[in-house]
Amino acid sequence: MPADAPRLNRSIAQTRPGIGIVHLGLGAFYRAHGALYVEEAMAASGGHWGIVGVSLRSPATRDALAPQGYAYTAVERRPDGSHPRVVEVLDHVLVAPEDPAGLIACLAHPGVRIVTLTVTEKGYCHEPATGRLDLAHPDIIHDLADPLPRSAPGVLVRALAARRAAGHRPFTVLTCDNLPHNGPLVRGVVLDLAQRIDPGLADWIAREGRFPATMVDRIVPATTRDDIDALARQTGVLDLSPVVHEPFRQWVVEDDFVDGERPDLAAAGATLVADVTPFEDMKLRCLNGTHSALAYLGYLAGHETIADTVADPSFAAYVKGLWANEIVPVLTPPPDTDLAAYCGQLFDRYANPAIRHRTWQIAMDGSQKLPQRILATLDDSLAAGRVAPGLMLAVAGWMRYVGGVDENGRPIDVRDPLADRLRALCDGAADPADRVRALLGVREVFAEPLAAALEPGIITAYLRLVELGARRAVEELS
Ligand code: CS2
């Protein structure tokens, strides 16, 4: 990097739009996806949709962006090169734990009409297998007692309460996380929490609030120091918080906003529909399902990134087999969609060598991801009398991974809200089959009767995995 590179800063000429959106969970994904759509929608059709970003935990993003006037670079990585673009749609960033009361005040401002969220699967404090609010979650216990919330559902409920008390309309809650029926899911946890705090508030939210479902898609690996240095070399300007992303993007949004108030997302290429479900199912099962399968098995086989994994012919054949033989046959396509073409395009996206998406990153939080990504397809396969050995092997891969030791006896840094319990179940198992039975007993992940139905197939897959190792177990399937 040029040692004297000047720091990126906001362009002075640019007038700031008024604030219309608060985004909870300001990670790389939203800055490389939703924020770009909003910026383009305003460029095309106007409106006051400036964004306040909120970090629910760490000040790191705010600290990096503040000296840059909250401008940052979104770098499109194509196989043939990097294409940077400066984004100025963020007005400022709040760090929730530093000033929870200030956050609620910001959310209560009548100019804020939409709250978008990327708080990851676990941020909704729900039970993955049922979708219901987890009342035993420490943050929910806290938020029931204390008006200054810690959890995303708590922030939404307390902010909606403040708006109701002030006589304002509610904001639309627009979730952008990879969860099935994500709109109804966030509505459910918000109403459940509100009901316990103030039933009148819950009635008002149920009547007046809107929680559109969405399908979001763009591959955005965590930014690394190498990314920062490469960008500074390319542009001669230092940005300490850029985001890197693939060319592809898709956003399908249920068109159901409070008073119809929203940016002109269609002008930026988003698809507004009445029912997101088939798009969500397609994306969660075809993309995220195979991402997780490749993450566990690829990691165990020693592959660092998804691109490295699918460059291995055994894994390329494996993922193509998952799509053709196991996932697509039990999926209802969205209107006018050719699923085989969609999956072909996915393969090319995975193979993009300029995107270094680590298997370890995708392997995170598997207990929160498996139900919608893989188990839903397995459930439909069983109902249709079909076999799905590749997906069974993927679940077995997760079971091996959460044991915390790789195929060469090296420790794995397992990140998962259930990590300790999963590890204890693995360590306490008498033999490999016993480990599978113990993990299938984790009801937050494996609902009955699916767990019982999966047991024989997953034990078989797990035993092959232990005997052969991930790479040969994958090969054996094709
Ligand atoms: C990935 C997703 O980290 C993960 O679990 O599967 O972040 C994936 O890259 C995005 O959903 C793509 O839209």
Side-chain angles (χ1 to χ4, degrees):
M1 168 192 19
D4 54 350
R7 189 75 177 268
L8 176 68
N9 210 343
R10 201 182 192 92
S11 51
I12 304 163
Q14 188 91 359
T15 47
R16 293 187 182 214
I19 287 161
I21 296 176
V22 176
H23 181 75
L24 302 183
L26 189 66
F29 178 77
Y30 183 76
R31 293 203 282 131
H33 183 269
L36 303 188
Y37 278 94
V38 172
E39 187 171 72
E40 289 169 29
M42 277 195 288
S45 310
H48 293 285
W49 297 106
I51 301 171
V52 177
V54 180
S55 294
L56 290 169
R57 288 194 180 73
S58 146
T61 303
R62 190 269 320 272
D63 291 351
L65 290 179
Q68 305 180 176
Y70 301 98
Y72 62 90
T73 317
V75 183
E76 182 167 303
R77 288 263 172 87
R78 303 187 199 146
D80 64 354
S82 286
H83 303 266
R85 139 183 183 186
V86 174
V87 184
E88 304 202 337
V89 71
L90 271 185
D91 190 89
H92 62 282
V93 176
L94 300 175
V95 180
E98 288 178 1
D99 183 10
L103 170 59
I104 299 298
C106 169
L107 286 159
H109 192 280
V112 172
R113 285 148 292 153
I114 299 176
V115 176
T116 47
L117 290 94
T118 46
V119 294
T120 80
E121 292 84 349
K122 61 180 181 287
Y124 293 85
C125 306
H126 68 296
E127 292 166 357
T130 63
R132 306 278 317 266
L133 183 69
D134 177 5
L135 291 167
H137 193 294
D139 289 349
I140 296 300
I141 294 172
H142 171 274
D143 289 358
L144 279 166
D146 190 326
L148 293 179
R150 282 186 191 150
S151 72
V155 169
L156 293 171
V157 169
R158 298 290 179 180
L160 286 164
R163 292 177 79 98
R164 179 169 174 247
H168 301 325
R169 301 284 291 146
F171 44 64
T172 296
V173 177
L174 186 63
T175 159
C176 305
D177 279 295
N178 289 312
L179 285 159
H181 310 296
N182 54 6
L185 187 141
V186 66
R187 182 176 190 269
V189 294
V190 163
L191 288 181
D192 205 348
L193 188 60
Q195 185 67 36
R196 284 157 211 274
I197 292 172
D198 172 358
L201 172 65
D203 287 348
W204 179 75
I205 298 173
R207 220 178 33 248
E208 306 291 341
R210 291 291 179 273
F211 299 81
T214 59
M215 179 269 250
V216 293
D217 190 8
R218 172 164 263 181
I219 292 175
V220 184
T223 304
T224 63
R225 185 73 225 184
D226 284 351
D227 296 325
I228 293 173
D229 292 346
L231 178 64
R233 277 195 303 272
Q234 186 180 0
T235 62
V237 174
L238 178 63
D239 177 349
L240 285 184
S241 195
V243 289
V244 294
H245 60 78
E246 62 169 342
F248 182 90
R249 70 178 191 185
Q250 190 175 13
W251 197 3
V252 185
V253 183
E254 186 187 345
D255 199 3
D256 183 23
F257 288 70
V258 176
D259 304 326
E261 287 271 341
R262 59 165 171 77
D264 186 4
L265 296 172
T271 312
L272 282 299
V273 297
D275 181 14
V276 176
T277 314
F279 295 94
E280 255 176 13
D281 287 348
M282 173 178 76
K283 195 263 174 168
L284 283 169
R285 295 180 182 202
C286 295
L287 193 160
N288 298 110
T290 57
H291 238 187
S292 289
L294 292 170
Y296 297 115
L297 295 166
Y299 182 97
L300 291 170
H303 292 306
E304 194 187 342
T305 67
I306 291 292
D308 293 346
T309 309
V310 299
D312 176 337
S314 308
F315 281 93
Y318 168 68
V319 71
K320 288 177 181 172
L322 288 183
W323 284 316
N325 308 325
E326 303 189 19
I327 299 173
V328 169
V330 291
L331 191 57
T332 309
D336 305 320
T337 305
D338 174 350
L339 288 176
Y342 178 80
C343 295
Q345 185 185 31
L346 279 181
F347 187 84
D348 294 341
R349 292 170 61 193
Y350 290 178
N352 181 349
I355 292 289
R356 297 197 50 76
H357 203 183
R358 294 174 70 198
T359 47
W360 177 82
Q361 186 188 349
I362 298 164
M364 254 185 253
D365 293 343
S367 68
Q368 317 293 301
K369 293 175 174 173
L370 286 193
Q372 60 274 17
R373 294 182 174 207
I374 293 180
L375 304 182
T377 302
L378 282 171
D379 209 4
D380 287 350
S381 302
L382 290 169
R386 298 182 63 92
V387 291
L391 291 174
M392 298 266 194
L393 185 66
V395 178
W398 172 76
M399 291 179 165
R400 183 106 208 245
Y401 185 91
V402 297
V405 183
D406 78 8
E407 290 179 356
N408 298 310
R410 285 185 303 249
I412 304 175
D413 180 8
V414 178
R415 302 281 175 92
D416 191 295
L418 303 186
D420 292 345
R421 193 161 127 222
L422 299 172
R423 178 69 189 255
L425 287 170
C426 293
D427 290 348
D431 57 44
D434 197 36
R435 174 191 279 211
V436 172
R437 279 190 286 269
L439 291 170
L440 284 173
V442 177
R443 282 291 155 264
E444 293 94 321
V445 182
F446 300 97
E448 279 290 19
L450 180 65
L454 291 179
E455 190 179 305
I458 296 196
I459 290 181
T460 305
Y462 191 81
L463 294 176
R464 297 309 283 161
L465 191 57
V466 173
E467 191 187 328
L468 302 174
R471 192 161 189 282
R472 285 182 50 219
V474 158
E475 266 168 15
E476 195 183 55
L477 291 175
S478 43

